[in-house]
Structure formats: structure tokens, C-alpha cells
Amino acid sequence: MTLRGQLLRWLLLPLTLLFLVDAVGSYVVSRHLADRVYDGELLEIARELTLHVKPEGTTATFDLEKDAERTLLLDQYDEVHYAVRSRDGTRIAGDAEVPPAQPRAQPGPAFYDSELGGQPVRIVQLATTSGITVDVAETRVKRHGLVNAIMLGVIVPQLLLIVIAGVVLWAGVARGLAPLTHLSQAVASRSHVDLSAVRVPGVPGEVEPLIVAINDLMARLEEVLSHQSRFIADAAHQLRTPVAGLKAHVEVALREEDPAQAKQSIAHLYTAVERMSRLVAQLLSLARNEPTTVRKLELAPLDLSKLAFDVTMEWVPEAYRKNVDLGFEGVEPHVMIRGDAPRLTELINNLLDNAIRYSRDGGRVTVRVAAQPPRLAVSDDGPVIPVAERERIFERFHRLLGTQAGGSGLGLAIVQEIAKLHDATITLAEDADGVGNAFTVTFPG
Ligand SMILES: Nc1ncnc2c1ncn2[C@@H]1O[C@H](COP(=O)(O)OP(=O)(O)OP(=O)(O)O)[C@@H](O)[C@H]1O
Ligand SMILES: [Mg+2]
């Protein structure tokens, strides 16, 4: 149902009900009023008639000339009838059809409604001191006329008022809703790349939050879109160099006549392909963990110490190959956090990959898990990352000058994204003994 329809219904329904109640009330009041106006005249006729009653013992005579009677009962609109009756109810004069006197407690005039010859009449009854009663009945034509006039004067303006209220409301709602129509036109006619704020002048206060919400959504979409287009540009740029390298290696291998040389070229090619597949994997992971595009992360309770221990154990063969002493220190047996196990595994893998890869020969790498607040630290014993670089190494594609080939510069960016998805913070500090680096991820407690 439209807003307009609802408003109209809520206004017109109660108004119509009020109108009906008022109409009934007005009718009752105007009928009463008409009786008050004309009852006096009727009583005058009854009084006049009593003047012609002459009591004689228990009965009486009534003496009124025909002409005088006609003049007395003459009325422009109504028929007037009367009856004079003795104490025992015998009619002395007048019209037999006038309803007989009704028993009353008090003397004096009494008015009541009745019927005469099928027509509604108003009757006044006057009792004289000698017990003679005079009833005068009058049809209700002029009384109805007055009631109708009053009703017309009251009802017509009220009906008009209701109609005018409806029309004004109809027009008012149309005016009030015009900014909404402008808003929907503004949004509909917009190009899909235009994410600037929507502006519609003159919107009512109630609609303002809707516009604020739309603009807020636009701003967030803008952020996500620019993130994504930046990512695609970065990825394309980063892939171009290794692809060119691959091509060169393939060309060299194809041109090689000597099978031994060709084999060596293919070995180079293999290394280049491996590096490239690492880059692609890291790019995908970066895209997958981008906080602005991750829809909903299902965080479940998990044991951080167990997870860190299991991941560390998988790196033992690699550490052994690199002659690195890899250790695990779990101060407490179970450190529970809410997290996404595959993503946290990836986070630890990236930190351990760095620590082992960039460690000196014979170096030492330690994974520590502690509670209150739950945290995980991966530390090595050098070389120390310069203080000036401690923030920048978390940026995409940023690598320290002179770092050996083999990495893509995305590992720490991925670590940071995953930390953000867990509301965790990551800090880099010198190792406790000041000779290495300690990457610490602190989870909300
Ligand atoms: N434990 C560490 N010791 C010394 N230098 C480090 C350490 N961890 C990271 N770095 C420096 O920070 C740079 C960025 O690390 P990051 O993990 O982001 O990228 P990467 O290791 O070069 O590539 P990727 O991890 O994507 O394969 C590295 O290139 C390296 O120069
Ligand atoms: Mg790395």
C-alpha cells in the first residue's frame, strides 16, 4: 500500500466516523431545538382552548364558534387537531382521533410525541383545575423543516471539510514525496562508475538518513572498487617482468643445440616458473584476504598453541636444510582464540618462511605462544630490519634493498590482512636480546 493511501485512510476513516457521530448528535439536538421553538405556540393554542371550557359539575361544556376555531387552528404548514375531554375521558369537543389523555402525576402542560392518522404528531396536553383536559396535536411538517435546515447547515460544511482535507492531503503528500522521486531518478540515471555522493535538495528530514546511508554505501563501494582496480594494476605490473623472463628463458632453451646446455636452460626456466607460481599464489591470497572484500569470516574457537606448534613442525625439514635452529615455546598448554584456522596457518607460514629464508646460516628461529592477551611471536636472530623499514615492509611488493630473489614482497601484506580480519594487531620489534626481529601478532583478549 502506498504512503499516500495509508495517510488518506488514517485521516479519512476517523474523520468519517466522527462525522457520523456528529450527524446523529446534531439530529437529536436540532429536533429538540425545533420542539422548543414550536412547543410554545402549541401551548398557546391549548391555553386559548381552555378559555372556552365551562365546568358544570363533574363535566363541562365547550363553546367555540366554528370561525373562531378555524382561525385558532389555522397554520401555514401543519394540520392542528384538538380534543377536550372530561375527567372520565369522555370527549366533550374536538377530534376523536386525537390520542386520549395519558395519566399524569402533575397538573400543567405536558408535551409528547405520538401519531395521528398515520402521521407523526407533537401533542401538548393541558389539564384545568376542574380535571378537564385539552389535547392539541400538530403534525411535524414545520418542525421537520427546521431540523432539515439545521442539519443542512451543519452537515454540508463538515462534508466539504472532509473532502478538502482529503484533497489537501493528496496534494501535500505529492509535494512531500517529490524529493523521493527526484532521489530515485538521481540514483537510476547515474552511471555505474559514478560513486560520488547523491545530492537532492529540499528532502524532508525523514528522508535525510536514507540519503546519508546511500552515500555511505557509495563511499564504501568506491573504496572497494579503487582497492580492486589498484590490485589488478599492481598484479599486472608485477606479472609482466617474470613473464618476459620466462619468455627469454624459453627462447634460449629453444635455440640451444647442445643437449647439456639446453637442460641447464630448462633448469633456469623451472626456477623462474616456480618463482612465478609463488607470486601468483601470493597475489591470490592477497586478493582473498582483502578485508574490504571478505564477506563474512566464520571465526571459531581454536587452540592457538596447538595450531602454531603443528605449523612449526611442518617447517622443521626446511629449517634443517637451511641449517636453522627452529624452536617452539608454548608457555601455556592451551591458548584459546576465535579464528579461522586455514588463514591463521597461512599467517604463521608467511612469518616462518621469512624468518627461515632471511636468517643467516646457523641462525635461530623461535615461535612463542603466550596468553593474556593471546599472542604469537616469531623471532629470529638477525639480520635486524632497520627501524626506518619496520612499517614499510608490510606494504605490498616492498622488499628490503639487497634481499635475495625468490620472494614477491607480498607475504607481510597478507599477514597484516589476516591479522586485520581477526581484529588482531601485528608489531615488529627487535628480538629480546637485540640481535634479531620479533614479529608479534596480538589477538583480542
Ligand atoms: N624475518 C625477517 N628478517 C629479515 N628481513 C625480513 C624478515 N621478514 C621480512 N623481511 C624483509 O621484508 C621484506 C618483505 O617481506 P614479505 O614477506 O612481505 O615479502 P617477501 O618475503 O619478499 O615475499 P613473499 O613472502 O611474498 O614471497 C622481505 O623481502 C625482506 O626484505
Ligand atoms: Mg615473505
Side-chain angles (χ1 to χ4, degrees):
M1 181 150 192
T2 61
L3 180 61
R4 182 180 294 186
Q6 282 194 30
L7 279 174
L8 275 179
R9 199 167 64 175
W10 278 105
L11 178 82
L12 294 188
L13 217 70
L15 266 186
T16 310
L17 271 176
L18 264 178
F19 169 76
L20 289 178
V21 170
D22 189 53
V24 172
S26 299
Y27 178 74
V28 171
V29 170
S30 55
R31 215 181 128 99
H32 181 72
L33 217 71
D35 283 341
R36 274 189 56 175
V37 169
Y38 295 114
D39 279 356
E41 289 177 21
L42 204 59
L43 182 60
E44 275 312 305
I45 299 174
R47 287 224 166 90
E48 183 69 32
L49 288 171
T50 53
L51 298 180
H52 300 274
V53 176
K54 302 269 171 335
E56 276 176 17
T58 55
T59 176
T61 57
F62 182 74
D63 165 36
L64 179 65
E65 284 180 16
K66 269 275 165 253
D67 276 356
E69 182 192 56
R70 206 176 303 126
T71 319
L72 187 65
L73 301 185
L74 186 72
D75 190 281
Q76 197 180 350
Y77 303 102
D78 285 294
E79 278 180 42
V80 184
H81 300 269
Y82 74 95
V84 180
R85 292 189 178 95
S86 64
R87 194 189 291 268
D88 61 2
T90 357
R91 186 166 56 85
I92 300 165
D95 206 325
E97 282 174 38
V98 174
Q102 304 206 341
R104 285 192 293 119
Q106 289 155 348
F111 295 91
Y112 58 96
D113 296 315
S114 186
E115 272 194 8
L116 197 153
Q119 279 194 52
V121 286
R122 180 74 170 164
I123 297 183
V124 62
Q125 186 175 81
L126 198 60
T128 65
T129 41
S130 51
I132 307 291
T133 55
V134 175
D135 293 87
V136 184
E138 183 185 57
T139 52
R140 301 197 64 109
V141 176
K142 59 177 175 289
R143 291 168 197 254
H144 277 160
L146 184 60
V147 169
N148 286 348
I150 293 173
M151 289 301 277
L152 214 68
V154 172
I155 297 291
V156 170
Q158 283 185 357
L159 265 180
L160 262 174
L161 199 78
I162 292 181
V163 172
I164 290 170
V167 171
V168 167
L169 187 80
W170 188 268
V173 170
R175 244 185 93 99
L177 291 183
L180 269 187
T181 319
H182 293 155
L183 175 66
S184 57
Q185 280 166 355
V187 174
S189 63
R190 211 158 235 264
S191 132
H192 66 280
V193 286
D194 179 8
L195 291 174
S196 59
V198 177
R199 280 186 221 297
V200 181
V203 285
E206 290 87 340
V207 181
E208 200 82 53
L210 174 66
I211 295 190
V212 171
I214 290 177
N215 285 340
D216 186 47
L217 179 67
M218 292 278 205
R220 277 180 286 151
L221 276 178
E222 168 102 68
E223 195 192 322
V224 171
L225 279 185
S226 75
H227 242 291
Q228 282 183 345
S229 56
R230 213 166 352 135
F231 174 77
I232 290 170
D234 279 356
H237 181 74
Q238 293 295 324
L239 284 169
R240 212 163 40 196
T241 320
V243 166
L246 281 184
K247 212 174 138 201
H249 280 302
V250 172
E251 278 168 6
V252 170
L254 279 177
R255 253 183 286 139
E256 207 55 72
E257 305 268 309
D258 178 12
Q261 288 287 324
K263 203 170 173 193
Q264 207 191 342
S265 293
I266 290 172
H268 281 307
L269 185 59
Y270 182 77
T271 322
V273 168
E274 243 190 350
R275 207 177 303 154
M276 174 123 168
S277 88
R278 162 92 180 159
L279 171 61
V280 170
Q282 293 285 76
L283 276 174
L284 278 178
S285 172
L286 191 71
R288 246 200 333 264
N289 292 308
E290 170 59 55
T292 51
T293 51
V294 172
R295 269 170 210 276
K296 195 167 175 265
L297 195 60
E298 295 288 338
L299 296 182
L302 61 87
D303 184 347
L304 184 62
S305 24
K306 181 172 177 340
L307 182 83
F309 180 77
D310 291 349
V311 178
T312 309
M313 284 308 111
E314 290 194 6
W315 281 90
V316 170
E318 178 68 11
Y320 182 76
R321 245 196 315 279
K322 291 272 175 71
N323 192 25
V324 168
D325 171 17
L326 176 61
F328 180 84
E329 282 178 21
V331 185
E332 276 158 75
H334 301 292
V335 175
M336 298 304 293
I337 59 162
R338 292 185 64 77
D340 177 284
R343 285 189 161 93
L344 288 176
T345 303
E346 200 174 344
L347 179 150
I348 304 171
N349 272 335
N350 269 296
L351 289 178
L352 273 175
D353 179 55
N354 284 352
I356 295 171
R357 189 198 299 252
Y358 305 122
S359 174
R360 59 183 175 80
D361 188 50
R364 175 179 50 79
V365 170
T366 311
V367 177
R368 283 191 189 83
V369 174
Q372 279 156 3
R375 58 195 185 277
L376 165 110
V378 176
S379 54
D380 57 54
D381 56 356
V384 177
I385 298 170
V387 178
E389 292 279 354
R390 280 186 190 166
E391 289 207 356
R392 296 203 60 198
I393 54 164
F394 288 99
E395 288 172 11
R396 297 161 171 203
F397 306 112
H398 187 78
R399 310 190 73 207
L400 296 187
L401 259 169
T403 304
Q404 66 191 79
S408 50
L410 293 175
L412 289 175
I414 295 167
V415 166
Q416 193 158 50
E417 279 186 351
I418 296 176
K420 238 185 224 162
L421 289 177
H422 285 81
D423 283 330
T425 53
I426 175 151
T427 53
L428 164 57
E430 256 161 54
D431 192 19
D433 40 21
V435 291
N437 311 292
F439 288 87
T440 309
V441 185
T442 311
F443 293 87

